[in-house]
Amino acid sequence: MRNDPHSYADLTQGRTTDLVLNWIVDFEDRKLRGTACVVLDSPADGPLDLDTRDLQIAEVIGDDGAPLAFELGDPDEVLGQRLRIQRDRPIGTVTILYETSPEASALMWLEPSQTDGGKHPFMLSQCQAIHARSMAPLQDSPQVRATYKARVTIPSQLSAVMSAAPGSEEPGTTPETRTLAFDMPQPIPSYLLALAVGEIESRDLGPRTRVYAEPGVVKAAAWEFAEVEQMLEAAESVFGAYAWDRYDFIVLPPSFPLGGMENPRMTFLTPTLLAGDRSLVSVLAHELAHSWTGNLINNATNEDFWLNEGWTVYAERRIVQALYGAEAAAQQSRLGRLTLEQTMQEREAAGQTNALNYPQAGLDPDAEFSKVPYEKGFLLITALEQVVGREAFDVFIETYMSRFRFQALSTAGFANFVREALPKAAEQVDLDTWLHGEGIPADAPDFHSDQLAALTELAKGWTPERCPSAKQWSTTETIFFLSLLKPQDAPGTEALGSWLGLRSTGNAELQCAWLARAAEAGISGIEPELRDFINRVGRTKLLKPVIEAMAKGSALRPLAEQLVAANRGRWHGSTRMALDATLE
Ligand code: BES
Ligand code: ZN
């Protein structure tokens, strides 16, 4: 019986408790070659269905060392291919000899020219939501949690990190290679499996935190994220002791498609966060917060994705409040609300749902991704908090965390727990409407920021001549103000660009916001900046608004098409998908 619309796994056949991975990382052929050993909770016979995508399976062996018959099902566009292993005798572990495809959807193989150093290739994985199956055959459903061990053979001059504790190192079996061991002793859902290989250095930031990056990037990264230990302490004071031993993270080459990915013990981050002024560190706070909300309690299926992200945006803003104050947190909540309303309008117009929880059978999780689970989910968690007050809510968080630690949770399971543990909130907050309704409930929390209110006033009747002096605007304030300008206000956008130095800022978020406005307003002469930006960035969230704005008018559309065509090779599949949809 399948109980995850995005997995062929049938948990009545057994559950994975441990994975043992042995990989040779072959940069020449762009493949992982090796074995995956799936350890099940108890020996059983009958079929065992695993998820795969684009894998070449050579052989399957049981724990008695004898081969097992297997067959691959027809490829499904969304799900990949079912690997059915026939167990004609009680079998507790299956070992699969296989190799990945150069097109593996989880893996990015970068040329040296796509790295900062320019001398060595780089590879990285991105498994959420359902790409782990292109890396290894497994039960690729977040309802299954497993520990893992890995031995990864890489070219000697490179290094590797995984979402696991690093272990011993020994020479590889072929010349000029070495084999690194990793161990993840806590059970994790498969989407948190992660590997990056390249020229990687590291620096300690605190007793339990370290930043990894290419040699030319590590110093800037260490400075940008120096506050990570304070963030950890702030998160622990709300969510309880950090459960994963160390918190390390890696700043990847620009092709990494996301702002960040919460791979346990090794968060993956985009280099576009290196603004030089720590103004974008809330993304690190977000990924760190997933160590509790997501990695300790995880969504049962992608239909419950909002549980991961809504809770994590809530946690992120608690950390931001602790470190940078209530005004900073309120600003981010206000801007989040604006983004949510805009996203919901667009989705509604396109006939897409704005519900937090809806059936996703047949739908590709990458195509379903939006800000709705983040910001509407955040509003729901905050609505619950506001009914009972922060003190009582913090007690609820404690019981919630200890009740579901290391477990998958569904939307219904969450609602039941709220009704049980927070009855007063469940009475006042209409959970069914929040979870399954289309709009934003009228009693949704409202956030006030003095600064943003002042900017709203300033924007009324604003002219380029009225640039206020001196005041240093925060990134959030600037993005907010830009969003208040009329889309076609070319003089205003231009003046703001030169006044705040947005055309040439090292802050990629600001540059994205300005370039998108400038392209839409038809400001002339911005082609070089657009070209630079699109050739440099790989993060979907920053590329999309710029390409979208360029595609709206006829003047910049050919350039957008040309740049997307020229860069698609260095972008992740999910980025390509999002940008192709934008150009359609
Ligand atoms: N877990 C997500 C990234 C993700 C979501 C990958 C869905 C694949 C499918 C991560 O925690 C995240 O939300 N990243 C955000 C940053 C955050 C501050 C909103 C991003 O990458 O923009
Ligand atoms: Zn997240």
Side-chain angles (χ1 to χ4, degrees), residues 262 286-287 290 309 312 374:
E262 65 271 26
H286 178 98
E287 306 314 332
H290 272 305
E309 298 301 341
T312 301
Y374 289 77

